[in-house]
Amino acid sequence: MASTNLILLGPPGAGKGTHAQYLERELGVVHISTGDMLREAVAEGTALGNKAQEYMKAGQLVPDELVIELAKERLGKRDCPVGWLLDGFPRTIAQAEALSAIVDELQMPSPLAVNMVISEAEVVRRLSGRRMCRNCGTIFNLHRDNIDVGDPCPTCGGEIYIRSDDRPEAVRERLRVYQRQTEPLIDYYQQQAQLITVDVEGKQEEVSQHLLAAVRSKDVKRG
Ligand code: ADP
Ligand code: ZN
């Protein structure tokens, strides 16, 4: 079977990062998160990070040309031909078109997009409870894990914090941005028959397994 290349499409709070980690392990693909890469750039104070910072804080998208360049560079690295999973990219039609050109240029199999479906109420509940470890990056949830700012990270003892874009105003803006700019990608990939749809509102382990099964069965059909 050819290498598997995947795109996770879904609103903030759909669980892209968490399920991506599972699929990475199960499928042996490389997990590429543009959000993580951008947060790293911000933390390191690189030129890219300095440009991206204000957009991210406000819950807006970083300009296409910056993110496209970042993705292109990453997909060109040596570990990518085994297969990859993009988490948070593409997020606009321009990014999707750029991705398709990158994939052609690198002669990689065209990606399968996974449409992660979840209600808005659940998204808001999850994002408002999201807590992260500054040290190891593990994501927790106040409602589910009962871990809050001030507690030590159960995994590494690191400091727990709230992402600046998880504040309520920024959450609402990210949802609007998703609906306006990213949702059109569902039709885009549907038209190319490169889309599968999975309900992601349920329990994390079950959803991860559904996602894996859906990807595997579509992959077999595509050959
Ligand atoms: P979430 O999916 O929870 O909103 P991410 O970690 O994927 O979070 O992204 C965080 C922020 O990083 C976004 O709100 C945006 O500002 C920026 N970002 C990440 N990926 C992209 C992208 N493909 N295009 C533009 N901006 C991006
Ligand atoms: Zn930690």
Side-chain angles (χ1 to χ4, degrees):
M1 194 159 66
S3 60
T4 303
N5 296 331
L6 297 171
I7 297 167
L8 293 187
L9 279 181
K16 294 191 293 291
T18 309
H19 296 301
Q21 285 170 4
Y22 176 84
L23 293 172
E24 174 183 33
R25 275 198 311 273
E26 293 295 318
L27 295 168
V29 294
V30 181
H31 173 202
I32 301 172
S33 160
T34 45
D36 285 349
M37 290 167 82
L38 289 168
R39 275 186 291 278
E40 242 163 68
V42 170
E44 285 167 9
T46 66
L48 169 67
N50 292 339
K51 285 184 203 156
Q53 190 164 29
E54 290 310 311
Y55 298 100
M56 294 175 72
K57 243 188 167 159
Q60 287 160 7
L61 294 185
V62 172
D64 283 335
E65 60 277 13
L66 297 179
V67 186
I68 288 169
E69 196 45 46
L70 185 70
K72 182 170 183 181
E73 211 176 279
R74 183 64 189 86
L75 288 169
K77 296 237 163 99
R78 297 176 53 174
D79 55 346
C80 287
V82 299
W84 37 261
L85 185 165
L86 285 172
D87 158 12
F89 181 90
R91 260 176 152 96
T92 62
I93 294 284
Q95 291 179 19
E97 285 169 348
L99 174 62
S100 137
I102 294 166
V103 162
D104 282 350
E105 195 184 314
L106 297 173
Q107 303 188 338
M108 290 167 158
S110 56
L112 177 65
V114 181
N115 174 23
M116 302 169 74
V117 178
I118 183 170
S119 70
E120 188 166 327
E122 176 64 10
V123 158
V124 170
R125 204 181 73 87
R126 287 186 187 182
L127 291 178
S128 62
R130 181 153 73 179
R131 303 290 182 266
M132 276 180 86
C133 172
R134 209 181 283 286
N135 182 48
C136 71
T138 306
I139 302 165
F140 301 99
N141 194 287
L142 175 65
H143 313 304
R144 188 191 55 199
D145 310 312
N146 198 23
I147 287 168
D148 206 350
V149 176
D151 300 333
C153 169
T155 311
C156 77
E159 183 201 353
I160 300 294
Y161 77 111
I162 302 178
R163 256 170 60 176
S164 61
D165 57 355
D166 282 341
R167 285 170 297 109
E169 322 80 73
V171 165
R172 277 192 292 276
E173 176 64 11
R174 279 157 66 209
L175 280 173
R176 276 197 296 273
V177 166
Y178 176 76
Q179 284 156 359
R180 222 172 22 230
Q181 315 220 58
T182 309
E183 247 173 23
L185 296 184
I186 295 170
D187 273 347
Y188 177 92
Y189 287 108
Q190 179 82 69
Q191 275 162 23
Q192 303 178 17
Q194 303 285 24
L195 187 84
I196 54 176
T197 294
V198 179
D199 181 335
V200 298
E201 189 141 344
K203 277 182 52 193
Q204 185 180 310
E205 297 75 29
E206 287 164 18
V207 171
S208 276
Q209 285 163 15
H210 283 159
L211 283 165
L212 180 64
V215 167
R216 283 202 168 128
S217 78
K218 176 79 176 183
D219 237 11
V220 168
K221 286 189 206 123
R222 295 202 304 168

